[in-house]
Amino acid sequence: MIVRVAERPTQDEATISFPIFTEEGAIQLIRISKSDPDLDATDARVINYKGADYLTTLSHLRLVCSDDGIHFYEPEGYPPLTGIGRLETFGIEDCRVTQIGDTYYLTFTSVSDNGVGVGLRTTKDWKHFEIHGMILPPHNKDCALFEEQINGRHYMLHRPSSVDIGGNYIWLCSSPDGIHWGNHQCLVKTTKGSWDSARVGGGAAPIKTDKGWLAIYHGANEKHQYCLGAFLLDLQDPSKVLAKTIDPIMMPLATYEQAGFFGNVVFTNGHIVQPDGDTVTVYYGASDEVVCAANFSINQILSQLSYTHV
Ligand code: MAN
């Protein structure tokens, strides 16, 4: 499993401090007095200082291993993945991993003062990585590649954000070669007055079932409560949304899901389908603080989908 590790120095009463990378890869510490009138620190995750946005933590990615999917350890000799260059000075986050053949495709959020976009690195051995740069420019995140081609084309989910008309919606695009992406289509939008009224974004690669591609996604409301839902895409033409959950399949209920660095959040980037073909272990971040796992039945999720509310 690849986890996002978000770091900052131990905080004191009077100041906010956080690291960023310079373009050359050195760590620079920024310290701002909490009483500074130019500081807006209403969100635990992101602040505005003198008109510029910063993240309050610097994230990198780490490989952890497990024999049973529950007890994880950090293997030796595998380098952590950190932000590189001018498009990743505020770090890299929220990686989805897709295996195609013997290659792992890592799509993740690249953050800098230039904006938030989607980066791609590939590896065969988790020790050597090919850096493909930013494949979707700002503002975009929550990108997951499908694990197989459909009629000769690669597909991926992504989540651009439109500032004026539109919103934070889940999109699909396709590619003949896995490098050049186009034919963007909007799949799933936010629903007014619902648990996913403010933003939606895809989780890990959709799961192939005999009913269609099952995607597990996150949605948040105006109060920043993040829950999980699901939708189903046509097997032959994944731009067709066949069905969608109305109510969430998971919401923050446990204490560690309701309180933490940024409380009331369950948010997933990864899962594994167990050998029985029905159980899916969903790995998720709770309150932007801990990583958890929960088992779902694929058939149970499918039975909760509405074919009329799409
Ligand atoms: C949002 C949250 C943060 C994340 C930034 C940049 O504010 O998802 O956790 O660091 O976006 O991606």
Side-chain angles (χ1 to χ4, degrees), residues 4 43 45-46 55 57 59 93-94 109 111 116 141 226 288:
R4 168 189 177 185
D43 189 315
R45 305 167 299 178
V46 36
L55 296 180
T57 56
S59 292
E93 314 171 340
D94 297 356
T109 307
V111 194
V116 176
K141 48 169 54 175
Y226 283 71
D288 283 12

Side-chain angles (χ1 to χ4, degrees), residues 158 170-174 182-188 237 239-240:
H158 63 106
I170 298 172
W171 289 61
L172 178 82
C173 60
S174 68
N183 197 20
H184 297 266
Q185 319 236 11
C186 185
L187 293 190
V188 174
D237 177 3
S239 68
K240 282 190 196 147

Side-chain angles (χ1 to χ4, degrees), residues 167-242:
N168 303 301
Y169 305 152
I170 298 172
W171 289 61
L172 178 82
C173 60
S174 68
S175 166
D177 54 11
I179 294 169
H180 303 93
W181 295 92
N183 197 20
H184 297 266
Q185 319 236 11
C186 185
L187 293 190
V188 174
K189 295 185 180 180
T190 48
T191 307
K192 256 201 186 115
S194 184
W195 60 276
D196 59 355
S197 57
R199 52 187 66 243
V200 290
I207 302 162
K208 193 177 195 182
T209 74
D210 52 9
K211 302 254 170 16
W213 296 98
L214 178 66
I216 297 174
Y217 74 102
H218 68 264
N221 61 19
E222 273 76 17
K223 290 184 181 153
H224 303 298
Q225 182 195 47
Y226 283 71
C227 299
L228 302 182
F231 58 88
L232 191 68
L233 304 176
D234 186 271
L235 278 181
Q236 289 305 315
D237 177 3
S239 68
K240 282 190 196 147
V241 183
L242 303 177

Side-chain angles (χ1 to χ4, degrees), residues 23-252:
E23 288 180 25
E24 294 73 36
I27 297 255
Q28 183 189 335
L29 194 63
I30 298 189
R31 292 171 64 89
I32 303 164
S33 162
K34 281 189 186 164
S35 59
D36 193 317
D38 289 326
L39 173 70
D40 174 0
T42 43
D43 189 315
R45 305 167 299 178
V46 36
I47 58 148
N48 187 281
Y49 182 60
K50 295 195 167 154
D53 293 318
Y54 295 93
L55 296 180
T56 56
T57 56
L58 178 65
S59 292
H60 68 276
L61 307 173
R62 251 167 215 269
L63 183 75
V64 291
C65 291
S66 173
D67 295 324
D68 59 8
I70 294 171
H71 303 90
F72 285 87
Y73 63 93
E74 270 196 84
E76 267 175 42
Y78 293 85
L81 300 176
T82 56
I84 298 171
R86 60 190 297 260
L87 298 182
E88 296 175 352
T89 51
F90 293 178
I92 55 175
E93 314 171 340
D94 297 356
C95 186
R96 279 81 173 164
V97 180
T98 292
Q99 184 181 3
I100 301 175
D102 62 357
T103 303
Y104 297 94
Y105 291 75
L106 282 66
T107 49
F108 50 84
T109 307
S110 296
V111 194
S112 72
D113 60 355
N114 301 290
V116 176
V118 176
L120 172 70
R121 298 184 196 180
T122 51
T123 184
K124 288 185 200 297
D125 59 7
W126 297 97
K127 290 185 172 166
H128 306 91
F129 292 84
E130 198 173 326
I131 295 170
H132 303 272
M134 189 171 275
I135 56 166
L136 294 170
H139 188 110
N140 209 317
K141 48 169 54 175
D142 304 331
C143 176
L145 256 174
F146 282 55
E147 278 167 328
E148 46 182 276
Q149 294 179 30
I150 303 162
N151 300 321
R153 293 186 73 83
H154 297 272
Y155 283 85
M156 62 186 190
L157 298 175
H158 63 106
R159 207 288 300 280
S161 294
S162 179
V163 245
D164 294 322
I165 298 173
N168 303 301
Y169 305 152
I170 298 172
W171 289 61
L172 178 82
C173 60
S174 68
S175 166
D177 54 11
I179 294 169
H180 303 93
W181 295 92
N183 197 20
H184 297 266
Q185 319 236 11
C186 185
L187 293 190
V188 174
K189 295 185 180 180
T190 48
T191 307
K192 256 201 186 115
S194 184
W195 60 276
D196 59 355
S197 57
R199 52 187 66 243
V200 290
I207 302 162
K208 193 177 195 182
T209 74
D210 52 9
K211 302 254 170 16
W213 296 98
L214 178 66
I216 297 174
Y217 74 102
H218 68 264
N221 61 19
E222 273 76 17
K223 290 184 181 153
H224 303 298
Q225 182 195 47
Y226 283 71
C227 299
L228 302 182
F231 58 88
L232 191 68
L233 304 176
D234 186 271
L235 278 181
Q236 289 305 315
D237 177 3
S239 68
K240 282 190 196 147
V241 183
L242 303 177
K244 185 174 168 290
T245 45
I246 299 172
D247 296 320
I249 58 168
M250 182 179 223
M251 55 192 296

